[in-house]
Amino acid sequence: MVTGASGGVGRAAARAFAARGDRVALLARGREGLAAAADEVQRAGGEALVVGVDVSDAKAVDDAAQQVVDAFGHIDVWVNNAFTGVFAPFTEVGPDEFRRVTEVTYLGFVFGTRAALRHMLPRDRGTIVQVGSALAYRGIPLQSAYCGAKHAIQGFNESLRCELLHARSGVRTTMVQLPGLNTPQFDWVLNRMRGRARPVAPVYQPEVAARAIVYAASHARRREHWVGGSTAATLIANAVAPGLLDRYLARTNVEAQQENGPHEGPANLWEPADGRHGHDFGAHGRFDDEAVHDSPQQWVSRNRRWMGAAVTAGAGALAARKLAGLVRRRPLT
């Protein structure tokens, strides 16, 4: 099951699961995007089930999970991905807007996780993938509601993971922390900045995130997966020198999140941009010209044991050569 499957990362992840021959339940609000996503899943070799749902409605999410179980028999993987956001200074975000972002982006993950556990715990198996962001650890200007929600997901997921480990449950939960991505969200978020919203560079294609999500679903013993060199650099810098990073982001990230031109897209905060009177936005945004298709950091992360062994072997060989040199240079007595 993939929430937010009608566009962006969710859409790309649905295709990636379908390429394995999986049966994929597509959850979202947007009618046009869901129909197109279902067609892509089927063409990729999977089986699609479309379920229209607003993830901020706990009962609707429970009903959606039951509908999927009735159709497919069980739920092996649940991917929480749906979100919404507002690009604006905190003082320009209304209380109802802040609440709405929190209900979708944070409580949507909580409700999805509860629905997944209701079906996974009795079977003592299943994986829940929480799609996070570097912003789950590091807040940035102009996205206070979204950053707050992602931080909340991080804390909630850690608590749940500890409980599952304590119970020696066969159900796993893991989190995927993503970088800036070329998705349609920047044309459908509520935007009160001077310019058009854009992801902070470097920008990655949503397929990079989709591959990480599919990988995480099969490697859920690992508590967290970082995607992209920018994510790794941000999280490391935040752990080492958060105060310095505050000042750097204050100086650079207001301009880095916008570009020239007015914001013209529909805001999907209250209604889906790809709903009854909208159109299908697909997985990609308008940044194809600059977005990269691969992440060397992701390859290193997946192969970290092999890399560690190689580094250890290399260090050992270097030490042996140095020792041999010292022995050769040692004078005879």
Side-chain angles (χ1 to χ4, degrees):
M1 294 183 67
V2 181
T3 71
S6 60
V9 170
R11 180 78 162 263
R15 289 200 303 254
F17 281 113
R20 309 190 310 179
D22 291 348
R23 294 180 295 180
V24 186
L26 307 165
L27 277 64
R29 296 176 300 163
R31 176 184 301 181
E32 299 298 323
L34 281 174
D39 182 62
E40 289 180 352
V41 165
Q42 291 163 355
R43 286 190 282 113
E47 181 181 344
L49 175 66
V50 169
V51 184
V53 65
D54 185 330
V55 296
S56 69
D57 183 336
K59 184 180 185 306
V61 175
D62 280 340
D63 291 345
Q66 187 60 56
Q67 184 177 339
V68 173
V69 170
D70 291 342
F72 290 163
H74 56 268
I75 301 170
D76 289 321
V77 176
W78 184 297
V79 179
N80 281 314
N81 167 73
F83 74 94
T84 190
V86 177
F87 279 70
F90 170 70
T91 54
E92 296 180 22
V93 182
D96 289 342
E97 294 166 347
F98 211 101
R99 182 181 296 109
R100 176 62 177 167
V101 173
T102 304
E103 288 173 346
V104 174
T105 309
Y106 171 51
L107 291 180
F109 278 52
V110 173
F111 298 154
T113 300
R114 287 177 60 88
L117 290 175
R118 187 168 291 112
H119 296 279
M120 291 178 178
L121 289 176
R123 299 176 64 230
D124 197 33
R125 60 180 298 184
T127 297
I128 301 169
V129 180
Q130 318 284 19
V131 179
S133 164
L135 306 189
Y137 288 100
R138 175 65 254 178
I140 62 174
L142 303 177
Q143 294 199 55
S144 56
Y146 179 82
C147 291
K150 287 298 183 182
H151 275 64
I153 293 165
Q154 177 67 25
F156 147 70
N157 186 65
E158 287 179 346
S159 179
L160 172 61
R161 180 178 169 83
C162 291
E163 292 176 9
L164 293 173
L165 289 170
H166 173 76
R168 291 183 168 85
S169 174
V171 178
R172 306 293 179 188
T173 181
T174 188
M175 196 161 181
V176 181
Q177 312 295 17
L178 300 180
L181 295 159
N182 174 32
T183 66
Q185 65 156 309
F186 300 96
D187 286 326
W188 69 33
V189 294
L190 178 58
N191 178 15
R192 295 197 175 102
M193 301 185 298
R194 294 191 312 275
R196 299 179 76 184
R198 60 153 294 134
V200 176
V203 182
Y204 295 83
Q205 293 288 26
E207 287 76 16
V208 175
R211 290 194 294 269
I213 291 168
V214 172
Y215 180 82
S218 301
H219 297 79
R221 287 184 177 273
R222 184 167 168 182
R223 69 188 304 274
E224 199 167 80
H225 301 257
W226 295 0
V227 182
S230 57
T231 297
T234 299
L235 298 186
I236 291 170
N238 190 60
V240 174
L244 184 62
L245 192 56
D246 286 343
R247 289 166 175 78
Y248 172 78
L249 295 173
R251 188 173 66 252
T252 63
N253 262 46
V254 170
E255 297 302 324
Q257 293 183 80
Q258 54 188 309
E259 59 187 15
N260 292 333
H263 180 75
E264 298 174 347
N268 76 335
L269 187 63
W270 306 105
E271 298 292 336
D274 54 349
R276 181 187 303 272
H277 302 294
H279 68 276
D280 173 35
F281 284 80
H284 286 212
R286 64 179 191 273
F287 307 99
D288 279 328
D289 290 344
E290 65 175 287
V292 298
H293 295 265
D294 296 296
S295 168
Q297 175 276 336
Q298 193 174 350
W299 183 91
V300 171
S301 178
R302 290 183 181 181
N303 296 276
R304 59 182 182 173
R305 290 185 180 179
W306 180 88
M307 291 292 292
V311 169
T312 300
L318 179 60
R321 286 198 297 271
K322 288 184 176 181
L323 180 59
L326 288 173
V327 170
R328 285 195 297 269
R329 291 194 298 271
R330 184 177 179 181
L332 297 175
T333 57

